[in-house]
Every structure is written in C-alpha cells, then in structure tokens.
Amino acid sequence: MFELIPYLAIVAAIAGLVLAAYFSKVVNAAPEGNEVMQEIALAIREGAMAFLRREYRAIGIFVAILTVVIFVVLPDMRPFGSMAYLMGAVFSGIAGFVGMRIATAANVRTAEAARGGAGKALPLAYRGGAVMGFTVAGMGLLGISLAYLLFVQILRVDDAFQVVAAFGLGGSSIALFARIGGGIYTKAADVGADLVGKVEAGIPEDDPRNPATIADNVGDNVGDVAGMGADLFESYAGSIVAPMVLAALLFGGIDADTAVVAETFDALQESAFLYPLLVGALGMFASIGGAFLVRGRKGKSLSSQLHFGTNVAMVVTAVVSVLGALWIFADVPEVENPLWLGMPIVLGLIAGYAIGFASEYYTSDHYPPVKNLAKQAETGDATVIIAGIAEGMISTVASVALIAGAIGGSYWFGLLAMPGMGIDGGLYAAALAAIGMLATTGAVVAVDAYGPISDNAGGIAEMAHMPPEVREITDSLDALGNTTAAVAKGFAIGSAALTALALFRAFTAAVGIEVIDLTAVDVIIGLFLGGVVTFAFAALTMKSVGRAAQEMIVEVRRQFAEIPGLREGKEGVKAEYAKCVDISTKASLREMILPGSLAVVLPLAVGLLISAEALGGLLAGALVTGFLLAIFMSNAGGAWDNAKKYIEAGNHGGKGSPAHKAAVTGDTVGDPFKDTSGPAMNILIKVMTIVALVFAPVFL
C-alpha cells in the first residue's frame, strides 16, 4: 500500500496546481480600473515579463553548461543525472513565469478593489499571491514525485538518489540566479527612485514624475515574486530530497560498493524514503484548505485575516503528519515508537512559525525595535544606520536558538524512535524538521507574494492619482506585506539551515567521511574559506546593487535636468520610463554572473584541488556564517523599511521631516540587505551543499 504514496503526492500536487488555476481565474475576472490604471499596469507587466525572458535566456546558458558537465564528469549517472537536473530547472522556471504573470495582473485589480475597502482588496491580493504559492509547491512536489517514481522505482538507475538530488540542483540553479538578478534589479531601481525622488526632489514615493518609478514597480515583481518563488521552490524541493537521499545512504537503500539501488527495499528503507513525500502531500492538502479561509472580515486586523489560513494549515499539517508517521512506520522493526518520527515535523512547524514571529518582532512597527529605530531617526542618518545594524545583529540570537532547538529536539526524537540506529536515526529525524518547516509552502509563499502585489497596487494608485483614501488602504496593505515578507524570509532561511545540514551529512556519507577533524590542516583551510565566501558573496551582490543604482541615479537626475516641466509636474510631460527599466535589466543580468557562478565553482575547486575533507570544512563554515548573515541582513533591512513607513504614518514629524529623510537613508541602505544579499544567502549555502553531494563521486 505504501507504493501508492508517490501517486498520492502527485494527486496533491495537481490539486495545488488546479487551485492556482482557479485563483488565477478569480483574479483575472476582477475589474481592472480606468484606462490610466490599465496603462500603468501594462507598462509594469511588459517590463517584468521582458526581464524574466531575458533572465531565463541568460540562466539557460548556465543550465546548458552544467547539464553537459554533469553528463561528462558523472558517467554513472549518465544520462539520468542531466535529465533530472533539467527537470528541476524547467519546473522552477515554469513556477516563476506563472507567478509573474498573475502578480502583474493582480496589482491593478487590487488597487481598484481598494476603492471598496481593505476587506475587498486583501483577499484579491492574497489570491494573486496564492497562484504563485501553489504553483511553486505544486511544481516542486510534482517534480520530486515524478523523479522518485521514474529514477528510483521504475528504472532503478545507478546512483538513483543522487539523480534525484540533481533535480534539486536544477531548482537551485534557477533560484540562485533569479534571486540575485531579481534582487539587483529591484534594488537598483528602488535606491535610484528613493534617493533622487524622495530625498533630492522631495516628491512622494511612486510619483509619476519619477523616471525610475516604473522600474521600481517592475523590480518588486522580478525580485519579490519570481525571485522569492524560485527561492522557496528550491527550499521546498531540497527539504524533501535531503531526508530521502540521507535515508538511502544511511539505511542501506544503496549498495555501498556498487552504488546500485537495492532490488527490494526493507521496511525501514521504504518507509524512510516515502515519509517525506507523504508529509509533502498532506501539507499540500492542508494548505489548500487554509487558502479558502482567507477572506475579508470586519472587526479583524489585516494581519489576523491574512495569517488565519496559514495558521490553520500548520495545525492540520502537524496533526496529520504525526498520524502519518504512526501509520507508515507502524510495522518497521527498527522503529520502536513511530510517534517520535512525527514529532520532528511538528517541531519544524513550530520553529518555522517562531522564526517568522522573531522576524516580525524585529521588523514590524507594532513592536519596540522598529519604533525605537524611528525615534533614532530624529537625530539623523548616522544613528538610524547604527541602530538598524544593531537590531539586525541582535535578531540573530533568537533565530539561532530556535534552529539549535529544532536540530537538537529532532535529533533526540530520532534517537527515541530508533535507538538501535544510533546517530543515523537522529540525523534522519533532524532532516525531517526541514520538511515540517516548509510543508505548508503553498500557504507561506501565498502570503509572501501578497506583499509585492500590494506594493504595486499602492504604486498604481499613486501614479493614477486615485483618491487619498485608496492610497491609505494600499499603504496599510503594503506595510503588512513588508512584515509578511520578513516572515517568509525567516521560513526560507531557517529551512535552509536544516536542509543544508541534512545535505551536508548526505555528502559526508557519500564520500565516506565519518568525522570532520578540526585539527586537520585541510579542514581548517576549508572552514575559513567557507566563512569568508559568505562575506565575499554579500559584498559582491551589494556592490552590484551600488553600481547599478549609480547608473540609475545619473539617469534620473539627467531626466529631471533635461526634460522641461518634468520635476514640476507640468501637464502632458512624461518621464522616459523605458530607459530606467533598461538600465536595471542590463545591470542585473550583467552583475548576477560572478556571485552566482561562485556558489558552483568554489565547492568543485576545493573538493578537486584540496580534498573532500576540506570541502566538508567549507560547507560547515558557510552554513554557520551564511545563516547568521542572512538573518542579520534580512531583519535589519526590514526594520529600516518599516521605520520609514512608521514615520510616514504621521509619527516623529511625518513625511518631509528631518526624521523622515534620515529614515529614507536607512531604508535605502537596507534595500540590498533585505532584498538582495540576505535572501540570496540561504540559496548560497544550499547550492554549495547540493553541488558537493551531486558531484561526490568526483571527489572520491
């Protein structure tokens, strides 16, 4: 009966995709507003889709090269490794394309719905985000299930589970470049628009006089919709792949000498392989149910309305995952108490929620950190920068404590469940916690993608000169979106740490490393290289934003100076928006190559030129420093952003005050922190780990 689980996962994936199609139909049926709104929305959509096509062409070259490399240097996986890698890349690309299409359709409809109040606008924006969420989760679960059926159960190819890992590498390749490229695009436009528009020219955000405003709104989509969607596709797929590969290597699903999949799986092997797929399927069904619970309700805060469906999905997933563990491990001799193998899923869900809340605490204007940061703005730019960096740094403490607790607790549950398996049982259980954190990916991404849709709706409302009360509603939706983005980043970063840990153990098992010896010189070298690569990666991506933003600033200043009447808002005078869109597009595609390639080339170089042990040190160093940097940068950037919005709401002098100008500077510094370097960091640590795992045979 267990052999039906992959088919159940396929059914769940298809159900998620059907829900995405239904919500897409609902969104497209909503009114688009007047001609001016439609014209602005069309410019945003055309800019976003044009960028995505150019970005995919550029990424396609990298994917083609790595496909050939896998085919040539991994003969035991030929041709299935290349096939699986391409599957992962294609499925991730499709999810990003679909999400972008609907997000750029939902923005103008959300702005129009805001005429009827937040109760109408919020569900519409959420459904637009849900199309992205359930497309990401549906394509991820469908791809993993098909890869398992094809390569493991049907073909039983050599190195089958490393072939399945190659599917995850395909998704990671798209995610890495989409996150970096989209992040550079959106922040180059945002920084240029803010510094010249709001600070120098003194005009409001999203004012149509600002030449960078269309590029800024396009950037919200390419960075926070396509980029985040690819990020969580990769995280979701990786969280399912990691325990499956780990179980294959630790529990004997693969013959250690021949690397051939066993002819028949024993009870432990089969249950350990299939439980991650079962959790993915159950989480999908729970998320679908939760999605229908998000609707505008009077008397409820916007936050509670938006998060209600996700919270319900998490509770349901926790319950059914424990029941699933009791069922699937019931007759496994090595598992003395199946209940304990369901608990890591619960622990992962709790840890994910708690990390999300910690991110919300440090980035929401409802809590002291952001309010104190806004107060610091009264004394100038420097104090805002100092306070924001400090808040970001201190925010890492809670996240590290939660991740450490999730790892330790899950490991302990594994020992209780399978005492005879020793540390291997504990490590498998720790890998399950990552699935728990991302089991409700459809709902999590839906809430996250809601943010840029609301942000775009506010931009369209401003540019189309809609009534002030409409802009107030879109501003409230946008402020909530900043917080939901921070929560989703918390989920992504937390799951990255757990998934990378599981993939790291799978790598050490694949190359026969039992212990990482910290007294060995090659391990120490690798450890330092792993620590520094995250800082180098952050520096490269931030410098890329700086160079691209510099080009944008020069162009915006030129247009204000050379186009008569633009700055004054003379009737009939329009900015040359296309030139700013082109600057962001070219700069982001040019600048994403070096940091993106670093994540793939460095682990291969260390493993080949030094040793597999040195590569183990590299991965360990990158995991720790990358996790800390990701939390620090994401939360500091989110705090600066919402401190600015808190002041704009009328506090500490409101818009145009000295405090506001200082907060805008903080927000501008925080933009590449929270939307480029920070979010890309969690992809970096997983990409390096999964590259090491897929290419493990080369290092032997």
Side-chain angles (χ1 to χ4, degrees), residues 473-630:
I473 290 171
T474 58
D475 279 349
S476 66
L477 297 177
D478 182 27
L480 176 59
N482 283 329
T483 302
T484 62
V487 171
K489 287 167 187 168
F491 269 92
I493 295 166
S495 67
L498 294 174
T499 302
L501 177 65
L503 291 170
F504 172 72
R505 179 62 185 100
F507 161 73
T508 59
V511 296
I513 297 175
E514 293 297 327
V515 176
I516 298 290
D517 184 2
L518 290 180
T519 63
V521 66
D522 53 347
V523 173
I524 294 173
I525 291 171
L527 198 63
F528 275 100
L529 288 175
V532 77
V533 70
T534 57
F535 283 87
F537 182 84
L540 287 171
T541 50
M542 290 185 72
K543 289 177 77 171
S544 295
V545 171
R547 284 190 293 267
Q550 195 170 27
E551 292 182 47
M552 185 69 68
I553 289 168
V554 169
E555 174 60 23
V556 174
R557 285 174 176 167
R558 182 197 68 79
Q559 292 196 34
F560 277 143
E562 296 181 7
I563 301 177
L566 176 61
R567 187 167 183 165
E568 296 76 21
K570 187 176 179 180
E571 190 174 350
V573 176
K574 285 189 176 182
E576 297 173 351
Y577 302 119
K579 290 190 176 181
C580 291
V581 171
D582 190 56
I583 286 173
S584 269
T585 301
K586 288 180 178 177
S588 59
L589 295 178
R590 179 182 67 246
E591 298 283 356
M592 74 179 184
I593 302 300
L594 178 58
S597 301
L598 182 67
V600 176
V601 173
L602 185 62
L604 292 176
V606 171
L608 290 171
L609 300 178
I610 306 179
S611 67
E613 288 76 10
L615 179 52
L618 171 81
L619 299 177
L623 172 58
V624 174
T625 58
F627 176 73
L628 291 172
L629 274 175

Side-chain angles (χ1 to χ4, degrees), residues 235-236 238-240 242-243 344-345 347-349 406 410 428-439 441 491 494-500 502:
S235 297
Y236 182 62
S239 72
I240 297 175
I345 306 298
L347 198 56
L349 281 163
S410 299
Y428 174 75
L432 292 178
I435 308 178
M437 202 170 280
L438 289 175
T441 288
F491 269 92
S495 67
L498 294 174
T499 302

Side-chain angles (χ1 to χ4, degrees), residues 27 29 50 76 101-102 138 257 271 286 319 338 352 398 461 474 481 510 531 555 570 629 642 677:
V27 169
D76 290 341
R101 290 286 297 179
I102 194 61
D257 296 321
S271 298
V319 173
T474 58
E555 174 60 23
K570 187 176 179 180
L629 274 175
N642 274 338
S677 302

Side-chain angles (χ1 to χ4, degrees), residues 110 114 117-122 125 300-306 364-366 450-451 453-455 457-459 461 468-484 642 645-646 648-649 655:
T110 300
K120 289 186 177 181
L122 183 139
K300 298 287 185 180
S301 69
L302 293 178
S303 180
S304 64
Q305 292 179 54
L306 189 61
S364 171
D365 61 10
H366 292 101
Y450 149 92
I453 291 173
S454 299
D455 194 358
E469 57 269 21
V470 172
R471 183 65 207 236
E472 287 178 11
I473 290 171
T474 58
D475 279 349
S476 66
L477 297 177
D478 182 27
L480 176 59
N482 283 329
T483 302
T484 62
N642 274 338
K645 285 184 167 56
Y646 182 69
E648 289 176 344
K655 289 184 179 181

Side-chain angles (χ1 to χ4, degrees), residues 370-396:
V370 168
K371 291 182 179 179
N372 293 336
L373 189 57
K375 184 172 179 59
Q376 292 276 3
E378 293 181 352
T379 52
D381 299 17
T383 49
V384 165
I385 301 300
I386 292 169
I389 289 174
E391 293 294 353
M393 286 181 170
I394 199 68
S395 73
T396 62

Side-chain angles (χ1 to χ4, degrees), residues 117 152 163 193 272 282 319 420 433 694:
V152 179
V163 170
L282 296 174
V319 173
V694 171

